[in-house]
Amino acid sequence: VEGRNYRMEVRWSDNHVDRLPVLARELLAKRPDVAVGFPVISAQALQRESKTLPIVLASGAGAQRLGLIAGLARPGGNVTGLENQLDELSAKQLELLHQIAPNAKRVLTLSSGLGAAEPDVREGSRTAARALGITVIEAVAESPARLAQVSWVAERERCNALVVLLDPNVSSFRSEIIAMAAALRMPSVYPTLEFADDGGLVAYSTDLRSQFRRAASYVDRILKGAKPADLPVERPTKFELVINLKTAKALGLSVPQSMLLLADAVIE
């Protein structure tokens, strides 16, 4: 029970990566028994301050690339928790786009450039695009202010669709990204379910809220004596597809019946 047998201290960087080291030091100064980080760069900031404090990754990608874990089955250090899929998700996003907009051959792929898994996510999108005969035009925006330039690139390169890659940093300005896609009249696929709720055409993602709940089980086991080095890192096995039919209608798109049958939710 919070306030009786545990206390939680929370810090939020407000999408400013440069604040993470200071926030990590603030938290560790309170001498916690366990720390939880989301996304991976937050866990990295905590791990740079302590190689002994148990750290649970609530979600994200790229922990092994950054050296936070040795492997999924045996993390080996003081970090464990949950990771997202990488290239598999990028490939599925492009496949879904190909189904709903088969004539889209020049696709803008957007990320912030700040994510720990950026190289893996980008490579996954390139590989999938080649298999589908799609040309990807890569764009980076770490803040809403950069979207005007992204829009200009999309028009210059004659892009006719958008895929927002797995990147927790872009979710903080998803309404602006959705508005840009609507202004450019581009069919778009997004990496978290909230995008579809806010007006995005298609979202394909694991449920982050369920991952956060699973992270609590890691905290529980660690507080009962388990070592992070011995707790395998989990990756999601269930993904959800959400289609916004209101947005499809506004774009003049007819969603294939096969996609609608696969959807976990349809927004009308």
Side-chain angles (χ1 to χ4, degrees):
V1 178
E2 187 171 5
R4 192 167 75 196
N5 54 8
Y6 85 91
R7 188 182 75 195
M8 185 182 296
E9 292 281 349
V10 181
R11 297 293 183 275
W12 168 242
S13 72
D14 198 24
N15 208 43
H16 294 287
V17 175
D18 58 315
R19 293 183 60 196
L20 290 174
V22 172
L23 296 177
R25 284 192 289 272
E26 275 185 26
L27 287 172
L28 266 64
K30 296 181 178 295
R31 302 176 65 82
D33 295 302
V34 61
V36 179
F38 167 76
V40 169
I41 53 176
S42 297
Q44 181 188 38
L46 290 164
Q47 204 252 4
R48 281 174 171 164
E49 298 300 320
S50 175
K51 300 296 190 291
T52 57
L53 173 72
I55 298 168
V56 173
L57 177 62
S59 186
Q64 193 167 351
R65 171 181 281 276
L66 292 180
L68 300 185
I69 60 173
L72 298 177
R74 291 190 63 82
N78 64 321
V79 179
T80 188
L82 299 102
E83 265 211 331
N84 281 334
Q85 308 284 26
L86 295 175
D87 50 350
E88 301 97 325
L89 180 58
S90 300
K92 188 63 177 181
Q93 285 182 287
L94 282 155
E95 289 171 14
L96 290 168
L97 177 66
H98 188 63
Q99 289 179 51
I100 201 168
N103 295 324
K105 297 298 182 183
R106 295 181 64 80
V107 177
L108 187 78
T109 55
L110 178 66
S111 65
S112 72
L114 302 173
E118 176 92 5
D120 302 301
V121 172
R122 286 288 184 190
E123 186 54 39
S125 67
R126 293 170 194 143
T127 301
R130 285 193 295 269
L132 294 167
I134 290 172
T135 299
V136 293
I137 290 83
E138 299 182 346
V140 171
E142 77 286 350
S143 68
R146 287 290 302 274
L147 290 179
Q149 184 179 358
V150 171
S151 180
W152 177 78
V153 168
E155 292 181 315
R156 184 194 67 192
E157 297 292 337
R158 305 185 310 282
C159 297
N160 41 29
L162 167 70
V163 170
V164 176
L165 300 173
L166 179 64
D167 185 330
N169 304 290
V170 298
S171 294
S172 64
F173 53 98
R174 63 178 176 267
S175 59
E176 290 89 344
I177 295 173
I178 293 167
M180 178 190 73
L184 293 170
R185 295 192 58 77
M186 292 199 303
S188 307
V189 180
Y190 301 96
T192 61
L193 305 179
E194 290 79 9
F195 276 95
D197 293 336
D198 291 347
L201 177 61
V202 175
Y204 183 76
S205 170
T206 184
D207 186 346
L208 288 177
R209 287 165 295 189
S210 69
Q211 283 200 290
F212 295 154
R213 286 192 290 270
R214 283 294 301 153
S217 72
Y218 278 86
V219 172
D220 179 57
R221 281 178 283 175
I222 288 169
L223 291 177
K224 290 175 178 175
K227 303 297 183 186
D230 302 326
L231 296 177
V233 173
E234 291 184 13
R235 301 185 82 185
T237 56
K238 184 180 184 302
F239 290 80
E240 296 182 34
L241 171 63
V242 180
I243 300 171
N244 192 314
L245 284 183
K246 290 170 61 177
T247 302
K249 183 178 180 180
L251 292 170
L253 288 173
S254 178
V255 181
Q257 187 65 22
S258 58
M259 281 191 72
L260 292 175
L261 291 173
L262 288 172
D264 295 276
V266 175
I267 299 171
E268 301 187 67

